[in-house]
Amino acid sequence: MEYFRSGKIAYEGPSSVNPFAFKFYDADRVIHGKKMSEQLRFAMSWWHTLCADGTDMFGIGTMDKSFGAEDGIERSIARIEAGFELMSKLGVEYFCFHDKDIAPEGKNLAEFSENLDKVVPVIKAQMKKTGIKLLWGTANLFNHPRYAYGAGTSCYADIFACAAAQIKKALDITIELGGTGYVFWGGREGYDTLLNTDMALEQDNMARLMHMAVDYGRAHGFTGDFYIEPKPKEPTKHQYDFDASTVLAFLRKYGLEKDFKLNIEANHATLAGHTFNHELCVARTNNAFGSIDANQGDLLLGWDTDEFPWNVYESTLCMLEVIRAGGFVTGGLNFDAKSRRASMNLDDILISYITGMDTFALGLIKAYEIIDDGRVDSFIADRYASYKEGIGKKIVDGTTSLEELAAYALAGNNEPKKVSGGQEYLENVINSILFNGKA
Ligand code: XUL
Ligand code: CO
């Protein structure tokens, strides 16, 4: 059975007009000593790609994601076949999943667990056959009505226990499938009103659950990274993992920073009022950069639209941060993105991925060009040159004091030169590199 149009998606170069070809993503092309595929580590999101059918708040699904199979295990297996076919055709080497994406939930947690046991060997066999790997796994702790008041932050201990059971199982599967990451996205870990909320207990409990997950994972051979994925709101009014800085404070408060890194999602950054590269920069400069959910929001809308990325400015500035962070280790670029409700055909999925992959390939090429060009880095270095010598060096070395600095300033060293901050110059440089015709 073949679900998607036949043939592998090939690289045809920037002048190609074939929508089913890569214009910039050339998997084996070596840039700065490493293949593009190894630097970008693209992943397919199981949920959007194989399950989401275009349902929104105002209407039922528009897409057929049954893959010709009856609802139940049969459909889960058809989705596995379709997913591996899609990844093979695109040359996507990783995937990410929630427990609920890969198997029917059944009547209760025990049945869900049995269903998972039926599909995991099928996934494993496809991984062996294709060489495709698991980037990260997670548990869906936000969809079921039992999680209406939160999962790890629920006011009910029994629900906390259900969350623990799902995490244990999702971790078992992640380990079984050789995943290098395990994600906590706090879907309903937040509140709608403080009037009914014990914030301190909820956050302490969330940390308790994470510690238990780390202990269990490490005791059962999980050597990858745990990730937290920040998001400020939606579905709750306030989510505890608001943004990268908030998450770092949480991790440090609870002593979780050694085991956890951050999974930064572009659209979540937008919702938090930050740029994507701001969130990545916060993660990188705190040694917490882990993985990326690659998508794009709409600046005119206040919710998570999870669009496939096509903004080359954003992907370039993102890849600049990834390169500065030393590249991905356990993480990668997971397309946590969905084709629009009106883009209802399987071809639309192929084109969405091609566009997303090309956008990040171009981002990688252009980020290295910015680095090789050197003007941006040397501008920054010059801007902070006063900290390399004299009083500035003493500040950085920690060998001065308020008294010495006061005496220094009062002696007349207090007139900053009118040096331009250079924003427009740097924007001009970036445009000249982005549109120099070399890609
Ligand atoms: C929701 C979101 C999730 C996480 C995984 O906004 O981004 O899909 O990536 O639970
Ligand atoms: Co995400």
Side-chain angles (χ1 to χ4, degrees):
M1 177 92 181
E2 193 174 35
Y3 300 95
F4 293 88
R5 69 168 49 223
S6 61
K8 214 171 149 31
I9 305 300
Y11 170 72
E12 292 185 1
S15 59
S16 170
V17 291
N18 175 6
F20 297 99
F22 292 118
K23 322 294 180 298
F24 305 103
Y25 181 57
D26 185 4
D28 291 333
R29 173 171 164 194
V30 173
I31 306 188
H32 274 250
K34 226 172 154 187
K35 285 184 186 177
M36 275 184 138
S37 59
E38 288 165 16
Q39 301 203 51
L40 294 165
R41 291 166 62 93
F42 290 129
M44 178 194 78
S45 60
W46 205 280
W47 52 104
H48 286 311
T49 310
L50 302 171
C51 306
D53 65 0
T55 299
D56 73 7
M57 306 271 265
F58 298 93
I60 58 170
T62 56
M63 307 168 191
D64 180 6
K65 295 278 179 79
S66 67
F67 297 100
E70 290 293 313
D71 201 7
I73 288 283
E74 233 181 275
R75 184 169 296 168
S76 301
I77 294 192
R79 282 180 173 147
I80 296 170
E81 286 164 5
F84 280 87
E85 181 197 316
L86 177 70
M87 289 186 275
S88 302
K89 285 184 169 161
L90 287 164
V92 166
E93 294 177 8
Y94 298 87
F95 67 94
C96 302
F97 74 94
H98 302 80
D99 49 1
K100 189 182 143 70
D101 309 333
I102 59 171
E105 279 187 281
K107 288 194 295 290
N108 50 41
L109 271 184
E111 209 175 290
F112 187 23
S113 188
E114 284 162 25
N115 287 342
L116 286 164
D117 288 340
K118 289 182 194 148
V119 300
V120 168
V122 186
I123 296 179
K124 208 172 171 183
Q126 285 278 4
M127 290 172 72
K128 199 159 170 238
K129 195 171 112 194
T130 58
I132 290 167
K133 297 175 278 293
L134 172 62
L135 192 70
W136 51 255
T138 188
N140 181 323
L141 305 177
F142 43 90
N143 194 279
H144 195 282
R146 74 168 74 90
Y147 297 123
Y149 322 106
T153 62
S154 176
C155 44
Y156 298 111
D158 285 1
I159 301 304
F160 183 99
C162 288
Q166 266 187 261
I167 291 171
K168 176 182 172 297
K169 187 72 185 170
L171 260 171
D172 286 341
I173 298 169
T174 301
I175 294 165
E176 167 84 12
L177 298 180
T180 52
Y182 184 88
V183 164
F184 279 85
W185 170 61
R188 302 208 182 257
E189 316 294 18
Y191 61 81
D192 287 320
T193 172
L194 270 182
L195 289 173
N196 66 9
T197 302
D198 183 341
M199 190 196 277
L201 177 65
E202 289 200 1
Q203 295 213 20
D204 287 353
N205 281 349
M206 194 65 231
R208 289 180 179 114
L209 188 58
M210 287 175 174
H211 270 292
M212 285 186 251
V214 169
D215 291 347
Y216 179 82
R218 297 304 182 219
H220 290 80
F222 180 65
T223 53
D225 284 315
F226 288 89
Y227 302 124
I228 294 188
E229 183 176 322
K231 184 172 183 180
K233 56 189 165 194
E234 199 200 17
T236 63
K237 169 178 158 159
H238 177 93
Q239 306 233 168
Y240 292 135
D241 301 331
F242 194 91
D243 62 0
S245 299
T246 311
V247 167
L248 286 168
F250 174 90
L251 291 174
R252 287 172 187 154
K253 174 175 177 185
Y254 293 105
L256 288 158
E257 69 275 18
K258 278 193 298 299
D259 293 285
F260 276 83
K261 293 199 161 46
L262 270 48
N263 183 38
I264 301 295
E265 176 163 325
N267 203 166
H268 296 178
T270 308
L271 292 177
H274 300 309
T275 58
F276 185 20
N277 55 315
H278 166 91
E279 287 292 83
L280 290 164
C281 185
V282 171
R284 168 175 69 81
T285 54
N286 286 280
N287 292 322
F289 169 67
S291 199
I292 289 178
D293 271 8
N295 61 15
Q296 178 175 317
D298 187 318
L299 294 180
L300 302 183
L301 300 176
W303 63 92
D304 202 7
T305 56
D306 283 342
E307 292 165 43
F308 268 89
W310 69 288
N311 182 327
V312 179
Y313 284 103
E314 268 204 351
S315 66
T316 301
L317 297 178
C318 161
M319 290 316 296
L320 202 51
E321 284 300 329
V322 173
I323 294 166
R324 285 174 176 158
F328 291 112
V329 182
T330 56
L333 285 162
N334 167 45
F335 288 106
D336 191 354
K338 57 187 174 203
S339 314
R340 298 302 84 196
R341 181 173 155 79
S343 305
M344 46 190 76
N345 302 319
L346 292 185
D347 269 354
D348 290 310
I349 298 181
L350 273 172
I351 294 176
S352 301
Y353 271 91
I354 293 167
T355 306
M357 292 163 78
D358 266 344
T359 299
F360 274 88
L362 202 44
L364 178 74
I365 295 167
K366 293 298 168 184
Y368 274 126
E369 280 185 35
I370 292 168
I371 291 168
D372 292 343
D373 173 274
R375 279 176 287 172
V376 172
D377 282 337
S378 71
F379 189 94
I380 296 173
D382 287 351
R383 196 158 185 243
Y384 296 93
S386 67
Y387 289 96
K388 293 278 184 221
E389 56 188 15
I391 197 75
K393 186 163 176 356
K394 286 179 115 182
I395 292 171
V396 170
D397 291 346
T399 54
T400 186
S401 63
L402 271 191
E403 293 95 316
E404 187 186 12
L405 288 167
Y408 177 86
L410 292 171
N413 296 304
N414 55 11
E415 288 299 330
K417 295 188 198 83
K418 288 211 169 189
V419 179
S420 171
Q423 181 173 335
E424 297 78 4
Y425 161 72
L426 292 166
E427 288 165 352
N428 184 298
V429 169
I430 298 287
N431 268 354
S432 73
I433 294 171
L434 280 188
F435 301 103
N436 62 7
K438 291 191 280 173

